Amino acid sequence: DTAVSQTPKYLVTQMGNDKSIKCEQNLGHDTMYWYKQDSKKFLKIMFSYNNKELIINETVPNRFSPKSPDKAHLNLHINSLELGDSAVYFCASSPGTGGGQPQHFGDGTRLSIL
Amino acid sequence: EDQVTQSPEALRLQEGESSSLNCSYTVSGLRGLFWYRQDPGKGPEFLFTLYSAGEEKEKERLKATLTKKESFLHITAPKPEDSATYLCAVPTNSGYALNFGKGTSLLVTP
């Protein structure tokens, strides 16, 4: 009955590789997000999608490319991984884009770059 | 510019010792203030939304309150299972995402 699920939970890879993280939500929400949590536990928005369309790209390097095949899925592909990409990446969803909508989070993907 | 500031960064309480966590925000036209709980290795879990000054919400031992400049998360007679990081967030200017504070790490010892 997981509401927002991400795979994989852990991802260990080498610098320069390309990797993808998948996210699915079964809440029927219209809006999905990717957040990055750094080593200091600070959560920061990366992307926001509403009805499969990109509505926020918060100055994220273009090595990061989100894709939303449908409203229930938002995947994150990362090219040419760098050491600084090591972090926990969280997917979230909300019913809409209004500021007062609570967001529901997955359990994160811990990405470690060797 | 920081929109959300949480204090203290860390808090250690004895079981049963009540306390409060603070979240100060600097946004105009607040469209909601959110409290989340995050356990190690997990994603943030939604607790409360507060929309206007004077509003209060409660859940078990937690009570969240809101003024025009800050919110408090009061923890009454905490138990060890309340140990977690508590995050506060407000909508970004665009309204399409949340700006989070850096969190308060709470440890409740038996």
Side-chain angles (χ1 to χ4, degrees), chain A:
Chain A
D1 276 60
T2 306
V4 181
S5 59
Q6 298 179 226
T7 53
K9 189 167 175 66
Y10 300 97
L11 191 49
V12 181
T13 189
Q14 293 197 328
M15 229 169 32
N17 284 351
D18 303 338
K19 290 293 177 186
S20 292
I21 307 172
K22 294 187 176 181
C23 177
E24 176 181 3
Q25 55 95 3
N26 63 5
L27 296 167
H29 288 168
D30 288 336
T31 309
M32 296 185 73
Y33 311 82
W34 279 111
Y35 285 84
K36 179 179 180 180
Q37 190 170 46
D38 60 24
S39 56
K40 296 183 179 179
K41 309 293 185 187
F42 188 44
L43 259 176
K44 190 166 183 182
I45 183 69
M46 298 174 68
F47 300 103
S48 176
Y49 267 73
N50 180 248
N51 281 318
K52 304 191 299 175
E53 297 214 1
L54 179 68
I55 51 175
I56 286 184
N57 177 345
E58 287 288 328
T59 60
V60 177
N62 56 16
R63 298 183 294 105
F64 291 78
S65 51
K67 280 195 180 161
S68 183
D70 55 57
K71 276 185 2 176
H73 295 85
L74 180 62
N75 304 322
L76 183 65
H77 187 77
I78 316 170
N79 289 327
S80 303
L81 281 157
E82 300 177 357
L83 287 174
D85 298 332
S86 294
V88 183
Y89 293 84
F90 287 98
C91 178
S93 71
S94 67
T97 56
Q101 309 268 2
Q103 296 178 14
H104 299 267
F105 286 77
D107 280 340
T109 295
R110 181 174 294 277
L111 174 62
S112 300
I113 311 300
L114 304 177

Side-chain angles (χ1 to χ4, degrees), chain B residues 1-90:
Chain B
E1 114 202 23
D2 283 338
Q3 288 192 304
V4 182
T5 304
Q6 291 187 247
S7 61
E9 282 188 23
L11 182 61
R12 184 180 179 125
L13 298 173
Q14 289 268 332
E15 186 171 2
E17 179 188 0
S18 301
S19 188
S20 296
L21 314 182
N22 177 264
C23 171
S24 300
Y25 61 91
T26 53
V27 295
S28 56
L30 184 69
R31 289 164 292 175
L33 184 138
F34 301 85
W35 282 99
Y36 285 83
R37 169 190 170 129
Q38 187 174 20
D39 291 295
K42 298 287 188 180
E45 176 190 347
F46 171 68
L47 292 173
F48 305 109
T49 310
L50 301 166
Y51 291 102
S52 55
E55 190 175 359
E56 298 183 354
K57 287 196 176 166
E58 285 189 64
K59 181 179 179 179
E60 296 181 359
R61 294 175 293 282
L62 301 177
K63 182 167 83 173
T65 62
L66 182 66
T67 72
K68 288 186 178 179
K69 292 184 179 180
E70 57 193 348
S71 177
F72 292 93
L73 185 65
H74 307 277
I75 304 176
T76 302
K79 298 183 176 182
E81 53 261 43
D82 295 322
S83 298
T85 295
Y86 290 86
L87 299 166
C88 168
V90 297

